[in-house]
Amino acid sequence: MTVSFRTGRYLVALLWHTAPYVVLGMFISSFVYAVFVVQLTASFKEELQQVLTAAQQCAPSDPANAADAEQVKGRAPGSSDHASPIRRTEARAERTLEHPPP
């Protein structure tokens, strides 16, 4: 496809006249994007601060008592805490078969 000299000059002039608007649009969109990222970061920081504050309120008041957890009712101390889940399920099934519920 051949382009005449006149059409080529027209396309170059069109490009020349539209380039400033394209560059200006890119700068404006970059600025808007940067402002959006700064606002989003600030909101994430506020949310994180609220979560950390809530987590600190849930912490035990006396760290010395944190190691002494309350025993779950109906469970013997140290009963299969370190056993695999399959063995715990098997042990529960055997207990149920030995002593069926009323």
Side-chain angles (χ1 to χ4, degrees), residues 79-92:
S79 63
S80 10
D81 282 338
H82 303 289
S84 71
I86 295 173
R87 289 190 181 173
R88 280 186 272 177
T89 306
E90 289 174 354
R92 188 180 316 126

Side-chain angles (χ1 to χ4, degrees), residues 9-76:
R9 283 182 63 187
Y10 172 75
L11 291 176
V12 168
L14 184 64
L15 180 65
W16 179 258
H17 288 291
T18 58
Y21 299 110
V22 170
V23 171
L24 184 63
M26 289 191 309
F27 279 128
I28 291 172
S29 63
S30 298
F31 177 74
V32 169
Y33 179 73
V35 168
F36 172 72
V37 167
V38 167
Q39 288 179 348
L40 190 63
T41 304
S43 68
F44 280 155
K45 185 177 179 181
E46 291 172 8
E47 291 291 328
L48 180 64
Q49 188 64 31
Q50 290 176 358
V51 168
L52 291 176
T53 302
Q56 287 175 352
Q57 291 174 352
C58 292
S61 58
D62 187 12
N65 290 336
D68 301 332
E70 291 183 25
Q71 180 66 31
V72 177
K73 293 181 181 178
R75 184 171 171 207

